[in-house]
Amino acid sequence: MGETLKVAMPKGRIYTKAAALFRQAGLAIPLEVDESRKLVVPLPEMGMEFILAKPVDVPTYVEYGVADIGIVGKDVLLEEDRDVFELLDLGIARCRMSVIGLPNWQPGIQQRVATKYPNVASQYFREQGQQVEVIKLNGSIELAPLIGLADRIVDMVETGQTLKDNGLVEMMSIFEITSRLIANRVSYRMKNTQIQELCDLLQKVIPLPEIKMK
Ligand code: PRP
């Protein structure tokens, strides 16, 4: 058996979906890992070690090589812009990045946009030729237009329930998000056989996008 593959797994909602995909692919992650608060979890039967990280930090661990591979949303990948290989679109945690506002929004002189994704938002508005002030928040972004901090927000939309419950509207969808498998550039060469084997297993169980009927 080869060297241990260090895998940066995002804690939280992506973990559940990623663990289900691994299990479907035949990788027997013990159930207790799901409930554990341990941050480094050796999985010798799988030839792996899980590093349970904040989703936004996964590309950092992978770029620096303390994790060989990782699972991360395309939203974080674009925002963090780290030097990593994107190996596979895992097709899980599908949602979209959108511009959102109050239903009566009008282009005004003072344009402020609140978001957890300042780089993504700044780039989008620059490309649109719109001058906006981007304000970074760390969560509950929908609050910003409700209490007058910003005119619009750039945020993830999954079911649309949060928007609906807060009387906001999706004005523009910027890009689709799914989780991706990423690799450290050196690990990709040094542990190529193990990484390729994992990719082959995962590739067989990647869910197809749902076809939306008009
Ligand atoms: C995300 C996102 C939206 C919500 C969208 O927030 O920022 O608020 O989910 O999901 P929906 O369309 O299914 O309602 P998250 O729950 O991750 O928490 P946060 O507000 O702290 O970022």
Side-chain angles (χ1 to χ4, degrees), residues 102-175:
L102 289 165
N104 59 358
W105 181 82
Q106 297 280 339
I109 299 166
Q110 175 77 286
Q111 288 213 50
R112 293 203 298 210
V113 174
T115 185
K116 235 184 332 190
Y117 305 90
N119 294 327
V120 163
S122 301
Q123 190 188 338
Y124 172 74
F125 287 108
R126 206 168 37 244
E127 283 168 8
Q128 299 297 307
Q130 293 185 41
Q131 270 206 333
V132 301
E133 181 188 349
V134 173
I135 302 170
K136 161 94 199 267
L137 290 178
N138 295 298
S140 303
I141 315 297
E142 289 80 2
L143 255 182
L146 297 181
I147 60 171
L149 176 68
D151 311 285
R152 290 176 289 174
I153 62 172
V154 168
D155 201 16
M156 270 166 40
V157 180
E158 191 179 357
T159 61
Q161 196 60 44
T162 311
L163 296 186
K164 207 166 151 233
D165 289 356
N166 292 289
L168 298 169
V169 292
E170 193 174 357
M171 303 162 89
M172 178 65 73
S173 158
I174 309 179
F175 55 84

Side-chain angles (χ1 to χ4, degrees), residues 26-202:
L27 295 150
I29 307 169
L31 282 175
E32 58 264 28
V33 177
D34 301 359
E35 304 300 328
S36 166
R37 299 192 69 103
K38 243 178 114 163
L39 300 174
V40 179
V41 182
L43 297 161
E45 291 81 15
M46 288 163 52
M48 291 181 189
E49 178 177 276
F50 278 4
I51 295 154
L52 293 161
K54 272 270 205 197
V56 68
D57 294 331
V58 166
T60 311
Y61 294 126
V62 173
E63 183 187 270
Y64 282 88
V66 291
D68 298 306
I69 59 170
I71 291 176
V72 64
K74 186 69 181 176
D75 52 329
V76 170
L77 213 48
L78 288 173
E79 179 63 25
E80 293 296 309
D81 195 26
R82 291 281 176 183
D83 183 23
V84 294
F85 271 144
E86 189 179 322
L87 299 180
L88 266 187
D89 180 346
L90 298 174
I92 53 168
R94 192 174 289 275
C95 56
R96 54 195 184 271
M97 187 69 74
S98 295
V99 182
I100 294 152
L102 289 165
N104 59 358
W105 181 82
Q106 297 280 339
I109 299 166
Q110 175 77 286
Q111 288 213 50
R112 293 203 298 210
V113 174
T115 185
K116 235 184 332 190
Y117 305 90
N119 294 327
V120 163
S122 301
Q123 190 188 338
Y124 172 74
F125 287 108
R126 206 168 37 244
E127 283 168 8
Q128 299 297 307
Q130 293 185 41
Q131 270 206 333
V132 301
E133 181 188 349
V134 173
I135 302 170
K136 161 94 199 267
L137 290 178
N138 295 298
S140 303
I141 315 297
E142 289 80 2
L143 255 182
L146 297 181
I147 60 171
L149 176 68
D151 311 285
R152 290 176 289 174
I153 62 172
V154 168
D155 201 16
M156 270 166 40
V157 180
E158 191 179 357
T159 61
Q161 196 60 44
T162 311
L163 296 186
K164 207 166 151 233
D165 289 356
N166 292 289
L168 298 169
V169 292
E170 193 174 357
M171 303 162 89
M172 178 65 73
S173 158
I174 309 179
F175 55 84
E176 265 234 312
I177 300 168
T178 44
S179 300
R180 311 294 162 109
L181 184 73
I182 57 170
N184 171 269
R185 290 184 181 276
V186 176
S187 302
Y188 186 66
R189 277 189 279 118
M190 305 299 281
K191 300 187 181 178
N192 190 267
T193 313
Q194 284 150 282
I195 294 176
Q196 208 47 60
E197 269 173 23
L198 176 65
C199 284
D200 292 346
L201 288 174
L202 290 172

